[in-house]
Amino acid sequence: MDDDLGDLIHLADPPGTSGHVVSLRVLKRVPGTGYLDCEFVVETGTVNGSFPVGITSDDLDEWEEALDSLAGNRRVSWLNSGRSVQLGIKPWQPGVIAVSIHDGPSSQVTVSLPLSPPTGWIEAHRARLENVRRVLAG
């Protein structure tokens, strides 16, 4: 199963548009730790980068709360403890969200971009969350 653990987050513009993508890929479960090695990946026409991050079950609970806030059309900040890369998402225009990735602890790089995720993206991310919880449970 470690060959394709999937993405906890996969936000992408529709084909034929800007091609912006932000994802959080699950790379591996660290046995006996309750910890997932992951990486944020940002792809745009001019910027491509990845940022390593570790995810715990508490982080997954906070991501579920963030999805609830997004469903209520509220801005969220996730993984903002200062120990890792931080994700921000805010509703911007109808059908458009502003996404930012900030690598505070390491490079101090921030990448911000607009994305137009498909209808139903929040529910799709709830399903992704449940899949990742199963991976973490091992």
Side-chain angles (χ1 to χ4, degrees), residues 9-130:
I9 298 171
H10 187 86
L11 298 168
D13 279 329
T17 61
S18 71
H20 294 165
V21 177
V22 172
S23 59
L24 179 60
R25 295 180 181 155
V26 179
L27 303 175
K28 69 179 182 177
R29 182 174 60 87
V30 181
T33 65
Y35 179 83
L36 295 170
D37 276 336
C38 302
E39 71 176 346
F40 274 107
V41 177
V42 178
E43 301 171 9
T44 74
T46 55
V47 174
N48 292 307
S50 63
F51 306 91
V53 64
I55 300 294
T56 66
S57 62
D58 288 343
D59 295 328
L60 295 178
D61 292 344
E62 290 173 9
W63 177 237
E64 182 174 25
E65 292 172 15
L67 289 171
D68 291 343
S69 292
L70 289 164
N73 208 34
R74 293 184 302 273
R75 169 188 213 149
V76 300
S77 179
W78 182 58
L79 298 177
N80 56 1
S81 67
R83 68 174 168 82
S84 70
V85 175
Q86 178 180 339
L87 171 70
I89 302 175
K90 70 176 181 176
W92 190 25
Q93 302 171 5
V96 180
I97 56 175
V99 178
S100 66
I101 303 289
H102 177 65
D103 183 21
S106 181
S107 68
Q108 295 294 309
V109 167
T110 300
V111 179
S112 299
L113 58 152
L115 286 162
S116 299
T119 301
W121 70 272
I122 294 173
E123 288 310 313
H125 279 78
R126 290 185 196 282
R128 289 177 181 279
L129 173 60
E130 290 312 310

